Amino acid sequence: METVTLTIDGQSLTVEKGKTVLQAAIEAGITLPYYCYHPGIGVDGSCRVCVVKVEKMPKLQTSCSTTCTEGMVVSTRDKDVVEARAAVFEFLLLNHPLDCPVCDKGGECPLQDFSYSFGPAESRMDFPRRVFDGEGVKADVDFGPTLMLNRNRCILCTRCIRFMREVEGDAQISVADRGNGSEIATFEDEGVHSLMSGNLMDVCPVGAITTRDYRFKSRPWDNPSVADTICTFCSKGCSTSEWIKAKPEWARGSSLVRVTPSYNPDVNGYWMCDIGRFGYHWVEGDRRLRQPMLRTTAGTLEPAGWSDVLHALRAKVAPLAAAEASSVKVLASAHASVEEFFVLKKLAEGALGGVNAVSVLWSRSEKKQPKATTFVVPVTDAPNVNGARDLGFAVGAGNGGAADVSALRAAVEAGKVKALLVVDPAPAELTGDFQWVIDARAKGMLPLLVVQAVEMCPLVAQADIVLAGAAWLEKDALFTNDQGRVQAASQVLSAPGDARPDWQILIDVAAAFGVSLGYLSDADIRKAIAAAMPGTPYASVADVAFSRPVAAKHWLQASNPSERWKWDFMFQDLPPVKGHSVQTEQGFVEGRVIPLKPVG
Amino acid sequence: MSFHARMDYSPAKFHKSERRLADVGEPFRFSPEHQATFDRLVTHYPAERRKSAILYALYLVQEQQGYVSRAAMRFVAEQIGCTPAEVEDVVTYYVMFFQKPVGTYALAVCRTLSCALAGAERVTEALSDHLGVPVGGTDASGTFTLLEFECLGACDRAPVVMVNNDHWHEHLTPDGVPKFIEDLRVKGLAALTGCHHKVE
Amino acid sequence: MAYEPVLTKFVKEPNCYTLDFYKAKDLGYEALRKAVTTMQPNDVIEMVKASGLRGRGGAGFPTGLKWQFVLKDTPKPKYICCNADESEPGTFKDHLLMERNPHLLIEGCAIGCYAIGAKVAYIYIRGEFYHVQKVLEQQIEEAYRAGFLGKNIFGSGFDCDVFVHRGAGAYEAGEETALIESLEGKRAQPRIKPPFPAVSGLYNCPSAVNNVETLANVPLIISKGVEWFTSLGPEKNNGPKLYCVSGHVKNPGVFEATMDVSLKELILGDQYAGGMKDGRTLKAVIPGGSSTPVLLPDQIDIPASFDAVAKAGSMLGSAAIMAVDDTTCMVWLAKNLLAFYRHESCGKCTPCREGADWLLKLLTRIEAGEGQMKDIDLLLDVSKNIGGKTLCPFGDAEIAPVLSTIKHFRHEYEAHVREGCCTIPAPWRGTRAPALAGHH
């Protein structure tokens, strides 16, 4: 790596050649404000707040557009710089409504934070403010199905426009009019219609673009903890941050209020799609299964205890397998984790005649995206097709292709399967077509149906035995994405009610079938995986560190290196947040992406 | 799977933008001649840079229907290979594109210093009074639209008026306004003095 | 005066804009022939460098250097972008030049292309000059027909296309990177520099953006030689120069002279603008377009050269001299120009977008007699906060009228505040208060 050495505020820094002064300062923890620059979008040079003084240059320079050169001497605290910066903040706030108390961005707003740090104490503007769409909350207007736009708050950094043009690939946002009358606009005011729309809220440095999903739902100081994990709604496996809102003192626990992407240069960069961002509500939704269930002799499904359902398994299903191994099959969704597949494999090999007893199911859907997009959302709506493949399960065409469960289906429809165990820790709609199972049940071709699931759905309604599992946010688990990258999804929430992590359920199920595995924790399973798969990326999974919900302040400091420092301001004047601490056992882990090489 | 399982949003709760939109207009296509002209002008630019011809496309639209409607913006977007938003971005930036129908004669009075020193402010006022419209307005008969433009680059012949983005009239005085308007009504663009440097 | 015009010598003759006329009486593309058949591209650049030709658009940057900086060692195409967006208030020289002597520009474009290794020149003409564009396009057609443009010019193997690109009403398009953006079909907003157009300009290819008058000088240099050029005018300010004189003068117009002519002569001299109209007295002079600071009558007895005007505290800019007489209220003048700048601000960078509006509001308030004394200092302070801090020179341009009128005429500002009204209401001024928020 070629480097150059420069001095910023007397601090000597050696940085990669080609970096800008702003990037060098950010990396060194020197605080410089910026709005139009975004590490994922690029340089525009228009907001003018990142000005610095560079020795031997007559004018102040915008640090975002100034490339570091050898021996460069930069000051960010020079009197001229301080004054010029304050002047720009005065300009930025001339027409900004300062409705921070009702603004979703308030508390985590770069304009707010930097104005306090760098702006003048008061404005000398005594003319009425420029207003585009009315004042107050009336100024909030439609901006497509997922977003709201408040033009009065906009500072015209044009990040949203450039995001749409450069990343999303369909330039739906533009500026209407010019000069002082410029406003962010979409054609015919039809708003943004994009699978990537949520990112606009992320890139907007003020409260001009907000999501309807998060609107008025929480304030930053009410979200005391954040957890880094990955999204498991498709085979991409974007790194995400889950924002957890503390419930009032009298209520127990916490709730998930927002999902945002976290920077992962190898997978998703700074972005994520709306499916992952807005599709988390079911996790704490009303359809969640909170306890196991058994079909009574009267034919209804009634809640039961874990010992009851395991007993039922032992009594009704295990004997079938013992009598004829091929009469019991497993239909596993590719939403099952690596650990779960591993246990399934042990179960299949131990009691069902081999891994062929397990069919892997997933759904695929074409995503409507512009041709020019640089962020392609995969067609495979499951996170772990590659994990299943790596463990030796038949996955047919694999990622990108359709799941092939025709053999199992034929066997079921021919009445050759006496008992079917479905393992699906995802909302049923996401996994794919179970209708044929339901139909087979209705025709009486499938005598016994065991479903391990997370949500009530038509399939669960048909089951004899229901095992309440955990969503991906409720367990530590590994998923192998479409690049073959083994990634860790960390536990953020506890499974609701009596629901249990799926690995645990499967160990018990295996035991019911007489396969005693002796794993006491998910970590034990990973140890076994590592031992069983030497020479593969899985060989080191025993050492994976999972992140934990951490105090938002710590998270902010450790998150996306290009943005994190700005958040240093965010919690400065807030009281200490109660009840949340940094993971101590393994320490706080910055990157939760396991640094492994892709498989084959 | 729903994105917004708990979203209690209904459009009725929030009002729509107050942004001024161009008129929708009739469905638009270039006339065969304009299409040919456009296809020729596009060849002035590298093949992958069709967007360069956007201003020409918009001028052709304006020539054909008098203003640039939203329907026309969509059409231009197709012709150029960009999004309608990008077309609107351009249309709203440049002052010579009208987003609503204008009168038969769009009178653009130069208001910048040299013309103002020569009485352009009074010319505008006289025009406004005579036509009975404010700046930006179109008279009842739909014949005249009164506009103010910034420096037109003919300061030696101030005050200057540009008509329909093309034809010029120089040395217009407040007193000359009634005759100017009357001549325009009667003789059309032939009533204008033009702005060719006089060959003395 | 001994100086014989070369740029505008024939502009008053009938048909002076035709190719036949140009061939019979003017250069007739002989300079282009000389360049492409007897000179290497670099020789052309060296010759322009030696002449010391400085850009006529406003900044006065040496043209030869600009061409030399154009990246040569690249497979990318190169472009000449001729800046014919003449929008600086008070400027109308290129208007005349293109309308009456278009072939000089076309020849200049072709030589420029040859020098920097370009095959295409775009003449970006402001949309309002459509009548000029029609002349220009017609004459370009003629030049193609005569073989002065197109393929294999003069059998030299040099190909050159010249296209006219019509703008659509944006002062900012006169800024070189904004012009390039506009040529690319976007809003005319400046780009951050570096990279400079010489490295990455039009279509991200090396480009040179030159003013009309600048390019028109090039064939003259090739044809008449460096010595002829440097013999004209003071050192470092050589060559023929077009001056636009307007405002309260008897005979406004374009005048060609060398840069040793004085500002005073240009305004008051009989062979130029002929002095003030109606026997009034000169009050102030804007020497180089609205973006240049105002000079007082006692400051104008100086050569109208880049360096001398700069020394006097202003700029020659586009040599657009606006003279105002004693009926002119300087607060009104500043307000008039700020209305222009507010309207033309592209809105890309913060200080200009927000600052121009604020300045105009303050000026309007003061001019209407509703201001306070502190508003005058606020004007200065806001101007200071804009100056040098914007993305392009527009910011510096918009504060020039404010700063210089306060500097020289602070007493008029104070009188407005004190008297509660404008103290110099001229008969030629409008009587109605303008709408403030108006846009488009």
Side-chain angles (χ1 to χ4, degrees):
Chain A
M1 184 178 81
E2 256 190 290
T3 60
V4 293
T5 301
L6 74 163
T7 309
I8 304 181
D9 293 346
Q11 195 177 337
S12 178
L13 303 171
T14 300
V15 300
E16 195 180 337
K17 199 176 175 187
K19 287 235 156 115
T20 62
V21 172
L22 180 60
Q23 287 167 331
I26 290 169
E27 282 168 22
I30 297 166
T31 304
L32 270 178
Y34 61 85
Y35 297 118
C36 64
Y37 169 75
H38 183 286
I41 308 172
V43 174
D44 193 49
S46 61
C47 74
R48 317 304 288 177
V49 290
C50 71
V51 286
V52 293
K53 187 166 204 161
V54 181
E55 257 182 32
K56 294 183 192 135
M57 289 194 178
K59 279 183 172 184
L60 299 180
Q61 302 290 317
T62 44
S63 58
C64 66
S65 64
T66 307
T67 310
C68 296
T69 56
E70 189 63 41
M72 187 181 251
V73 180
V74 179
S75 168
T76 74
R77 298 290 183 267
D78 183 272
K79 185 169 168 285
D80 290 349
V81 177
V82 170
E83 284 176 4
R85 205 158 42 201
V88 180
F89 275 102
E90 186 178 25
F91 285 132
L92 283 173
L93 293 183
L94 285 185
N95 290 300
H96 191 78
L98 298 177
D99 57 349
C100 312
V102 296
C103 175
D104 273 331
K105 204 80 170 189
E108 53 182 0
C109 172
L111 186 62
Q112 203 177 34
D113 295 336
F114 287 141
S115 294
Y116 276 115
S117 304
F118 299 111
E122 55 189 78
S123 174
R124 296 170 293 179
M125 173 80 161
D126 51 2
F127 294 97
R129 287 199 175 88
R130 177 184 59 210
V131 171
F132 287 112
D133 288 311
E135 292 200 65
V137 83
K138 274 192 75 183
D140 291 316
V141 298
D142 291 315
F143 205 46
T146 55
L147 304 173
M148 301 293 293
L149 174 66
N150 187 319
R151 293 190 173 96
N152 297 342
R153 294 176 187 153
C154 174
I155 59 168
L156 281 175
C157 69
T158 67
R159 278 185 187 179
C160 54
I161 296 176
R162 289 176 287 133
F163 170 81
M164 292 302 283
R165 193 187 301 148
E166 294 166 24
V167 181
E168 206 274 346
D170 183 17
Q172 295 177 29
I173 310 181
S174 63
V175 177
D177 287 355
R178 72 182 188 199
N180 201 256
S182 304
E183 51 186 316
I184 293 297
T186 49
F187 188 66
E188 301 191 325
D189 265 346
E190 63 197 3
V192 177
H193 297 260
S194 161
L195 201 54
M196 299 288 287
S197 71
N199 296 296
L200 295 167
M201 180 275 284
D202 294 338
V203 299
C204 183
V206 295
I209 299 179
T210 50
T211 64
R212 284 181 185 168
D213 182 57
Y214 187 62
R215 191 163 196 76
F216 301 146
K217 206 153 90 175
S218 186
R219 309 304 316 241
W221 46 87
D222 293 329
N223 305 338
S225 44
V226 187
D228 284 336
T229 183
I230 60 167
C231 174
T232 60
F233 288 176
C234 78
S235 57
K236 195 167 186 121
C238 296
S239 293
T240 63
S241 302
E242 319 288 320
W243 296 77
I244 300 158
K245 181 178 183 173
K247 287 186 178 168
E249 301 284 336
W250 43 266
R252 286 180 60 200
S254 51
S255 70
L256 189 58
V257 285
R258 179 168 69 170
V259 178
T260 56
S262 65
Y263 178 61
N264 183 345
D266 299 322
V267 178
N268 56 307
Y270 297 89
W271 323 115
M272 74 184 293
C273 76
D274 288 357
I275 301 172
R277 184 189 297 264
F278 299 127
Y280 62 89
H281 295 282
W282 64 271
V283 174
E284 296 179 288
D286 297 338
R287 291 196 299 171
R288 270 309 291 275
L289 298 176
R290 289 161 194 278
Q291 58 230 316
M293 289 187 285
L294 275 178
R295 193 164 294 283
T296 61
T297 45
T300 55
L301 266 180
E302 294 297 338
W306 278 105
S307 58
D308 301 331
V309 288
L310 290 171
H311 176 78
L313 269 173
R314 240 188 325 269
K316 291 186 185 167
V317 192
L320 294 173
E324 190 189 348
S326 68
S327 67
V328 178
K329 298 287 184 200
V330 178
L331 178 58
S333 108
H335 283 265
S337 70
V338 171
E339 293 89 336
E340 287 147 26
F341 273 118
F342 186 76
V343 177
L344 273 176
K345 185 180 176 183
K346 293 281 174 199
L347 165 64
E349 286 170 346
L352 307 178
V355 289
N356 287 341
V358 181
S359 302
V360 182
L361 177 67
W362 65 89
S363 67
R364 70 195 293 288
S365 57
E366 295 292 339
K367 312 293 188 293
K368 209 180 149 216
Q369 283 193 282
K371 273 198 198 84
T373 190
T374 60
F375 188 100
V376 177
V377 183
V379 292
T380 304
D381 298 324
N384 206 20
V385 176
N386 277 347
R389 180 198 63 187
D390 293 344
L391 287 171
F393 295 98
V395 294
N399 270 314
D404 179 12
V405 292
S406 56
L408 175 66
R409 180 172 178 170
V412 168
E413 285 170 354
K416 290 179 188 160
V417 177
K418 301 286 178 262
L420 179 67
L421 169 62
V422 178
V423 180
D424 181 22
E429 302 99 301
L430 205 57
T431 302
D433 178 22
F434 286 115
Q435 191 56 44
W436 55 273
V437 182
I438 298 167
D439 292 345
R441 277 287 281 179
K443 288 181 196 152
M445 305 303 282
L446 183 59
L448 263 172
L449 178 62
V450 183
V451 179
Q452 177 176 332
V454 289
E455 264 202 316
M456 193 60 192
C457 64
L459 180 74
V460 170
Q462 294 297 322
D464 298 301
I465 301 173
V466 178
L467 308 166
W472 90 107
L473 290 173
E474 298 161 352
K475 59 197 176 194
D476 285 345
L478 301 175
F479 297 89
T480 307
N481 79 353
D482 50 15
Q483 300 165 304
R485 196 176 290 277
V486 186
Q487 302 197 103
S490 306
Q491 184 181 354
V492 177
L493 307 165
S494 303
D498 291 341
R500 286 182 179 174
D502 298 80
W503 60 268
Q504 198 181 339
I505 300 171
L506 288 171
I507 287 172
D508 292 343
V509 170
F513 279 91
V515 181
S516 177
L517 296 170
Y519 307 135
L520 297 176
S521 66
D522 53 327
D524 285 351
I525 305 174
R526 284 188 291 278
K527 274 183 205 142
I529 294 170
M533 302 176 76
T536 72
Y538 298 91
S540 56
V541 294
D543 307 323
V544 169
F546 289 85
S547 43
R548 286 286 167 265
V550 297
K553 181 178 172 178
H554 295 279
W555 176 86
L556 292 164
Q557 286 166 350
S559 66
N560 165 13
S562 301
E563 294 263 328
R564 66 180 179 217
W565 54 271
K566 80 181 182 189
W567 303 107
D568 290 352
F569 300 91
M570 186 172 137
F571 284 83
Q572 263 177 8
D573 44 0
L574 296 171
V577 178
K578 284 186 284 182
H580 294 271
S581 57
V582 184
Q583 165 84 343
T584 51
E585 214 173 297
Q586 291 152 323
F588 178 76
V589 186
E590 274 198 37
R592 65 247 139 249
V593 181
I594 308 166
L596 302 175
K597 291 213 166 51
V599 183
Chain B
M1 183 172 57
S2 160
F3 289 178
H4 313 107
R6 296 198 316 212
M7 196 178 76
D8 61 341
Y9 172 85
S10 72
K13 274 193 181 172
F14 298 94
H15 78 147
K16 294 290 242 181
S17 163
E18 289 173 4
R19 187 164 79 83
R20 217 172 5 156
L21 298 178
D23 281 10
V24 185
E26 300 294 313
F28 185 88
R29 298 202 68 74
F30 277 149
S31 66
E33 305 83 68
H34 281 153
Q35 185 69 52
T37 308
F38 177 74
D39 292 342
R40 178 176 60 79
L41 288 167
V42 158
T43 63
H44 290 183
Y45 309 97
E48 71 281 12
R49 300 286 182 173
R50 283 177 76 86
K51 194 158 186 249
S52 279
I54 192 169
L55 295 182
Y56 276 126
L58 294 169
Y59 275 120
L60 290 170
V61 168
Q62 200 152 283
E63 197 177 305
Q64 195 170 315
Q65 70 170 21
Y67 73 107
V68 183
S69 62
R70 264 141 64 194
M73 289 185 210
R74 281 196 193 279
F75 174 76
V76 169
E78 280 167 31
Q79 291 281 313
I80 297 290
C82 65
T83 63
E86 287 175 295
V87 178
E88 192 191 19
D89 186 85
V90 170
V91 171
T92 57
Y93 184 84
Y94 296 95
V95 293
M96 290 178 70
F97 299 123
F98 308 125
Q99 294 167 57
K100 292 195 184 318
V102 291
T104 316
Y105 304 109
L107 312 175
V109 185
C110 175
R111 62 153 300 281
T112 320
L113 191 58
S114 291
C115 282
L117 291 171
E121 291 181 358
R122 298 231 163 177
V123 169
T124 307
E125 287 176 9
L127 281 168
S128 175
D129 290 347
H130 189 80
L131 298 171
V133 294
V135 173
T138 302
D139 73 342
S141 67
T143 316
F144 296 100
T145 298
L146 178 59
L147 302 166
E148 276 190 317
F149 262 46
E150 298 296 345
C151 186
L152 293 171
C155 319
D156 50 342
R157 281 149 293 160
V160 196
V161 180
M162 184 174 70
V163 181
N164 295 351
N165 282 346
D166 183 2
H167 310 277
W168 293 44
H169 190 84
E170 51 193 53
H171 295 308
L172 183 61
T173 60
D175 296 341
V177 160
K179 183 172 182 315
F180 170 70
I181 293 292
E182 206 41 49
D183 285 356
L184 255 180
R185 266 194 226 281
V186 177
K187 298 187 222 161
L189 295 170
L192 304 176
T193 61
C195 184
H196 293 270
H197 283 261
K198 272 182 236 113
V199 180
E200 284 132 317
Chain C
M1 171 105 200
Y3 174 71
E4 193 190 357
V6 286
L7 295 165
T8 57
K9 185 175 178 185
F10 303 110
V11 294
K12 290 184 178 168
E13 296 191 20
N15 299 322
C16 62
Y17 53 87
T18 60
L19 181 57
D20 287 343
F21 187 99
Y22 188 67
K23 274 159 73 179
K25 295 210 176 168
D26 213 329
L27 297 185
Y29 289 91
E30 286 308 308
L32 176 63
R33 180 197 299 277
K34 181 179 168 191
V36 301
T37 58
T38 70
M39 298 169 78
Q40 290 300 311
N42 205 41
D43 299 340
V44 177
I45 295 181
E46 287 303 323
M47 202 166 165
V48 174
K49 260 170 79 183
S51 75
L53 172 64
R54 292 170 71 169
R56 268 32 175 173
F61 190 80
T63 306
L65 272 183
K66 204 178 217 180
W67 287 0
Q68 194 180 26
F69 291 153
V70 173
L71 202 62
K72 305 291 187 306
D73 191 18
T74 163
K76 286 182 176 177
K78 292 148 203 95
Y79 295 99
I80 288 275
C81 304
C82 171
N83 187 342
D85 187 66
E86 187 165 60
S87 305
E88 177 75 16
T91 317
F92 42 97
K93 61 189 176 67
D94 300 340
H95 186 175
L96 173 79
L97 203 52
M98 288 188 286
E99 197 177 21
R100 305 301 290 174
N101 201 354
H103 287 288
L104 193 59
L105 170 64
I106 299 166
E107 188 170 0
C109 286
I111 297 174
C113 282
Y114 181 69
I116 68 159
K119 288 191 167 54
V120 181
Y122 291 104
I123 299 176
Y124 184 99
I125 191 165
R126 62 181 301 189
E128 292 89 339
F129 284 177
Y130 193 48
H131 56 289
V132 182
Q133 181 178 353
K134 283 185 269 194
V135 175
L136 201 50
E137 281 180 335
Q138 191 190 9
Q139 296 311 314
I140 287 173
E141 191 85 349
E142 294 289 322
Y144 269 106
R145 219 168 286 154
F148 301 138
L149 292 176
K151 299 273 177 231
N152 194 19
I153 297 164
F154 295 117
S156 64
F158 168 60
D159 304 336
C160 181
D161 285 315
V162 176
F163 299 120
V164 184
H165 184 98
R166 188 180 181 190
Y171 168 74
E172 182 58 17
E175 198 277 341
E176 59 175 1
T177 55
L179 181 144
I180 287 169
E181 287 278 298
S182 185
L183 247 171
E184 292 183 0
K186 304 174 201 159
R187 3 181 83 211
Q189 293 188 323
R191 293 177 182 170
I192 190 100
K193 292 190 274 192
F196 289 90
V199 176
S200 179
L202 181 61
Y203 307 136
N204 300 324
C205 299
S207 313
V209 183
N210 296 108
N211 172 259
V212 171
E213 189 190 343
T214 314
L215 286 171
N217 268 295
V218 171
L220 295 168
I221 293 169
I222 302 294
S223 166
K224 295 174 190 279
V226 169
E227 274 180 32
W228 163 80
F229 193 85
T230 52
S231 73
L232 301 173
E235 205 188 342
K236 290 185 180 161
N237 292 270
N238 296 125
K241 183 80 197 83
L242 298 180
Y243 294 95
C244 325
V245 188
S246 66
H248 291 141
V249 291
K250 278 185 196 148
N251 178 29
V254 177
F255 304 101
E256 182 175 340
T258 56
M259 284 185 258
D260 38 20
V261 67
S262 78
L263 274 177
K264 190 172 181 174
E265 239 179 310
L266 284 165
I267 297 165
L268 303 177
D270 283 339
Q271 71 274 46
Y272 300 110
M276 305 309 285
K277 251 191 329 200
D278 305 331
R280 317 275 331 182
T281 44
L282 179 64
K283 181 172 185 178
V285 174
I286 296 177
S290 63
S291 311
T292 60
V294 170
L295 294 177
L296 296 177
D298 62 5
Q299 292 177 294
I300 60 167
D301 200 4
I302 52 167
S305 70
F306 290 110
D307 295 340
V309 180
K311 210 175 142 205
S314 188
M315 285 183 295
L316 185 61
S318 57
I321 300 163
M322 289 181 278
V324 301
D325 68 22
D326 54 356
T327 61
T328 313
C329 164
M330 298 308 279
V331 182
W332 170 87
L333 181 141
K335 189 190 82 176
N336 177 283
L337 291 180
L338 259 295
F340 168 82
Y341 285 112
R342 183 200 179 275
H343 183 262
E344 297 297 338
S345 168
C346 78
K348 179 164 178 172
C349 79
T350 311
C352 174
R353 177 182 69 239
E354 304 293 338
D357 182 61
W358 198 5
L359 288 178
L360 176 61
K361 280 175 174 157
L362 287 168
L363 283 166
T364 306
R365 181 156 79 185
I366 295 172
E367 206 270 334
E370 289 160 14
Q372 304 171 40
M373 288 298 175
K374 68 171 185 170
D375 287 347
I376 304 170
D377 291 321
L378 188 53
L379 277 175
L380 291 174
D381 218 42
V382 173
S383 300
K384 189 199 82 189
N385 287 344
I386 299 171
K389 299 179 180 73
T390 49
L391 186 49
C392 79
F394 192 107
D396 296 318
E398 73 188 15
I399 62 170
V402 180
L403 292 180
S404 63
T405 53
I406 297 182
K407 180 179 168 196
H408 296 306
F409 299 95
R410 192 179 175 110
H411 56 277
E412 289 192 15
Y413 282 83
E414 290 171 353
H416 278 80
V417 173
R418 219 176 24 246
E419 307 294 329
C421 63
C422 181
T423 49
I424 317 172
W428 41 264
R429 274 176 50 190
T431 52
R432 289 162 213 169
L436 243 191
H439 174 65
H440 274 50

